[in-house]
Amino acid sequence: MKSISEQRRLVSPAVTPQALAWHDGALWMGSRDLRHVYGIEAKTFGVFEKTEAPGIPWAAVSTGEALCVTSGEGPEDDRYLRRYSPGSGFSKTDRIPCPELTGSYLSYDGGHLYLSQWYKHRILRLDPDGNILRVFDVGAEISGHVFVDGWLYVLRGTEQGNEDWRIARFEPREAPPQIEDLARVPFQCRSLTFDGAHFWTNHRAGNAIVSFALPK
């Protein structure tokens, strides 16, 4: 299987880049260890906004006017969905518990949030209150997902050993959906987003943010 085609590899403005989302023409990254969210200008890669998070920002996605962030909080790293508004920061009232207080990566289809659970190898479609509407079994650990043209693209593989990752896709309207692996991702990838032309992910161990395309 061919590997992804890297377009840009840029030094992350903070260590351990974890959450990553494309919103309103900019990248938004969350640092796992520093627990801050950064607004990044995509062309210059300059930081124009930096905000302390209420927990570990494990994932983020644009929901239109704002971002939704998976926040790991407390000594047990319980997971909550938090609203983040650029220029204003995190909402003090919008805090929805994830199912079973677990979950990490996020995507959004224009109407519903989708939350993945790493160890259960599944993606959940949620209602506005965080209740499960549908379950998608992905068959492997999940390190990111994003909607593009109605398809749900997923980073799936294993963290064990040297880590082994693929980017796959499926049509969520199918029952059951047929998952197709498209390319290898030859590094420790965390989060997946799309800017309208290219995919973006974090190479967390390399403290880098990477833009890539699928092989032709």
Side-chain angles (χ1 to χ4, degrees):
M1 180 178 291
K2 293 183 178 179
S3 294
I4 59 170
S5 175
E6 287 196 20
Q7 306 297 300
R8 300 172 71 190
R9 175 175 283 264
L10 301 157
V11 177
S12 172
V15 297
T16 57
Q18 173 65 37
L20 191 66
W22 180 261
H23 174 77
D24 197 23
L27 285 166
W28 292 83
M29 185 274 290
S31 166
R32 182 194 66 182
D33 293 354
L34 299 184
R35 301 190 178 196
H36 279 74
V37 171
Y38 302 80
I40 305 169
E41 207 285 323
K43 290 184 178 179
T44 66
F45 233 59
V47 173
F48 62 85
E49 185 167 320
K50 175 182 175 182
T51 306
E52 184 176 1
I56 300 172
W58 286 108
V61 69
S62 174
T63 58
E65 295 182 356
L67 292 159
C68 182
V69 177
T70 307
S71 178
E73 302 177 18
E76 301 300 321
D77 191 26
D78 293 333
R79 305 296 169 88
Y80 296 88
L81 300 176
R82 292 268 196 172
R83 179 183 173 89
Y84 180 89
S85 298
S88 301
F90 284 92
S91 169
K92 296 182 179 179
T93 56
D94 288 342
R95 181 177 183 260
I96 299 171
C98 295
E100 304 162 334
L101 294 178
T102 65
S104 50
Y105 300 98
L106 294 166
S107 56
Y108 183 66
D109 68 0
H112 295 95
L113 278 173
Y114 291 68
L115 171 75
S116 54
Q117 293 178 318
W118 181 285
Y119 295 110
K120 293 191 174 183
H121 302 173
R122 65 184 193 172
I123 297 174
L124 311 175
R125 179 190 290 160
L126 304 179
D127 72 10
D129 296 319
N131 299 308
I132 299 172
L133 297 175
R134 189 176 173 190
V135 177
F136 301 89
D137 183 4
V138 176
E141 294 167 8
I142 302 163
S143 65
H145 44 99
V146 66
F147 273 90
V148 180
D149 296 331
W151 292 86
L152 188 50
Y153 288 78
V154 182
L155 297 173
R156 67 173 185 165
T158 180
E159 187 179 21
Q160 299 303 312
N162 294 324
E163 302 210 17
D164 182 24
W165 297 101
R166 306 284 190 274
I167 182 169
R169 74 174 185 178
F170 66 88
E171 165 57 80
R173 289 172 295 186
E174 292 181 350
Q178 302 299 309
I179 301 176
E180 176 189 11
D181 285 322
L182 303 173
R184 294 183 60 251
V185 183
F187 54 82
Q188 183 202 60
C189 49
R190 297 293 187 271
S191 290
L192 184 66
T193 192
F194 188 72
D195 67 6
H198 298 108
F199 294 95
W200 291 83
T201 188
N202 295 312
H203 181 186
R204 192 175 70 188
N207 287 324
I209 302 176
V210 179
S211 168
F212 69 91
L214 298 175
K216 296 181 180 179

